[in-house]
Amino acid sequence: MTDVRKRQVTLDEVAERAGVSRSAASRVLNNAPHVSKAKREAVQRAVADLGYVPNASARALATQQVGAVVLAISSDNPEVFADPFFAEVVVGISSVLEETELELMLMMATSTRGQTRLERLLRTRQTDGVMLMSTHGDDPLARLAEQADVPVVFGGAPIAFEPQYYVDADNRGGARLATEHLIATGRRRIATITGRMDEGAGVARYKGYQEALAVAGLDASRVVHGDFSEDGGTRAMHELLAMHPDLDAVFVASDQMAIGALRVLTDAGRTVPGDVAIVGFNDVNAARHTTPPLTTISQPIRSLGRELARMLLATIAGESPTPLILPTRLVRRAST
């Protein structure tokens, strides 16, 4: 008599039949919380239709979590986590994770070594999820993360493609608001120091500046590209004064760059806001303590970190949260 054994149905086949991710199907089969009713029912139907029987050892492995998530920043500068912006993001993330059993790992992942390490973490599932920030252009990290078998959430949408899960601020609207404020104060020769133009935030803030000047019928050619750093702001402000000595206002795409720009204006004998008005972006704590205090666009940085962590937890739980754009607002101080 021939021993005919029926091929065992796989979890991947269950997930495909249910129209959900493999991780979501696994969460349902292990009775994990925070899975939507629709997904749970779809997986249960697929199990019944296919006759799926969980392997005991695989089931045991599926219920095991690593107990850690990663915040990976696409930068090779070891001082990046000391940047006030990223420091606030980390505080926000930590405030959410402290209510869970998950630990937070920080990674710089621009170098070949960093990319290899992140790839190994993803391939071997040594993390329960990844939050990825500061991606540049067609960043290989973004593509790597998109293909990962663990949940990935982006802090700021990449410029090369739109990921499924991301949290961002209204960078374009905030920049437009900043520039409109300078116009409303009577400034007409308004320059800008942009952020990195291979990052989504840099591009969006530049576009907001251009839009506001276009509506007002003003020249938008007074531009120097920066890199979001204080040194970058210093260099860019020197270039602007050399090329456009008649400028009467500057929208700077980050507070750190604005701090460097303020110092250059002071050293050049330009009064702020008498000769030159200046607006930054982010509203980091240092913006309150410059001389004069910096008018800036406030984005909820700590909230961005919190929402990033909450979105990651939701995806780990098998949910499919929608992208989130956080509002920005003008904080007027003495620099305008």
Side-chain angles (χ1 to χ4, degrees):
M1 183 176 181
T2 305
D3 183 14
V4 180
R5 299 182 184 274
K6 187 177 181 180
R7 184 181 66 82
Q8 186 172 3
V9 176
T10 67
L11 180 59
D12 287 324
E13 289 172 314
V14 171
E16 183 177 0
R17 172 67 70 91
V20 301
S21 67
R22 189 180 191 279
S23 61
S26 177
R27 298 285 296 177
V28 171
L29 292 171
N30 290 287
N31 294 316
H34 310 304
V35 180
S36 70
K37 181 180 178 181
K39 285 189 176 181
R40 191 177 297 278
E41 291 176 348
V43 171
Q44 290 169 344
R45 282 196 302 271
V47 167
D49 292 345
L50 297 173
Y52 175 73
V53 178
N55 177 278
S57 59
R59 184 182 181 91
L61 285 173
T63 60
Q64 294 178 4
Q65 284 192 323
V66 176
V69 295
V70 173
L71 172 61
I73 295 182
S74 186
S75 173
D76 54 9
N77 180 1
E79 297 182 359
V80 67
F81 288 111
D83 182 293
F85 175 85
F86 287 112
E88 283 290 293
V89 169
V90 170
V91 170
I93 292 172
S94 299
S95 69
V96 171
L97 294 184
E98 69 182 8
E99 300 175 2
T100 73
E101 297 300 319
L102 294 170
E103 299 292 334
L104 177 63
M105 296 189 291
L106 304 179
M107 288 185 61
M108 291 179 297
T110 296
S111 67
T112 300
R113 182 177 179 182
Q115 291 179 20
T116 301
R117 183 184 175 200
L118 180 59
E119 182 177 11
R120 184 172 63 251
L121 282 172
L122 296 174
R123 187 179 63 250
T124 59
R125 296 183 64 91
Q126 295 179 42
T127 176
D128 294 313
V130 175
M131 294 164 283
L132 186 57
M133 296 192 71
S134 243
T135 54
H136 309 295
D138 193 15
D139 198 320
L141 287 180
R143 297 298 180 185
L144 177 65
E146 279 287 280
Q147 298 166 7
D149 195 29
V150 298
V152 177
V153 175
F154 287 78
I159 60 175
F161 69 103
E162 183 172 341
Q164 184 175 4
Y165 306 118
Y166 66 90
V167 180
D168 208 347
D170 183 10
N171 292 295
R172 192 166 179 166
R176 190 166 55 243
L177 183 61
T179 310
E180 288 170 348
H181 169 66
L182 290 170
I183 295 169
T185 62
R187 311 295 169 149
R188 293 295 179 268
R189 299 180 300 280
I190 303 171
T192 188
I193 299 174
T194 77
R196 292 183 56 130
M197 296 306 289
D198 59 352
E199 287 187 21
V203 172
R205 293 175 193 181
Y206 181 41
K207 286 182 178 178
Y209 159 84
Q210 291 177 307
E211 288 171 355
L213 291 185
V215 169
L218 297 175
D219 178 23
S221 66
R222 299 176 178 87
V223 180
V224 172
H225 298 304
D227 60 3
F228 289 125
S229 73
E230 186 172 334
D231 287 344
T234 298
R235 173 191 54 77
M237 194 68 243
H238 278 300
E239 290 186 34
L240 276 177
L241 287 178
M243 294 187 300
H244 306 286
D246 64 334
L247 63 85
D248 62 5
V250 189
F251 163 57
V252 189
S254 80
D255 292 343
Q256 288 301 106
M257 290 195 298
I259 289 170
L262 271 171
R263 186 179 304 114
V264 172
L265 289 170
T266 300
D267 291 346
R270 304 291 183 97
T271 61
V272 177
D275 296 326
V276 181
I278 186 167
V279 179
F281 202 113
N282 287 334
D283 196 23
V284 299
N285 186 59
R288 301 168 175 81
H289 306 293
T290 55
T291 304
L294 183 66
T295 295
T296 186
I297 296 297
S298 176
Q299 64 165 314
I301 305 173
R302 194 171 294 191
S303 292
L304 189 150
R306 286 196 293 266
E307 296 302 333
L308 196 58
R310 287 170 181 158
M311 185 172 288
L312 183 64
L313 292 178
T315 61
I316 290 173
E319 298 181 5
S320 297
T322 57
L324 180 62
I325 304 296
L326 301 175
T328 53
R329 62 185 179 87
L330 178 74
V331 178
R332 183 169 183 175
R333 300 192 180 103
S335 69
T336 59

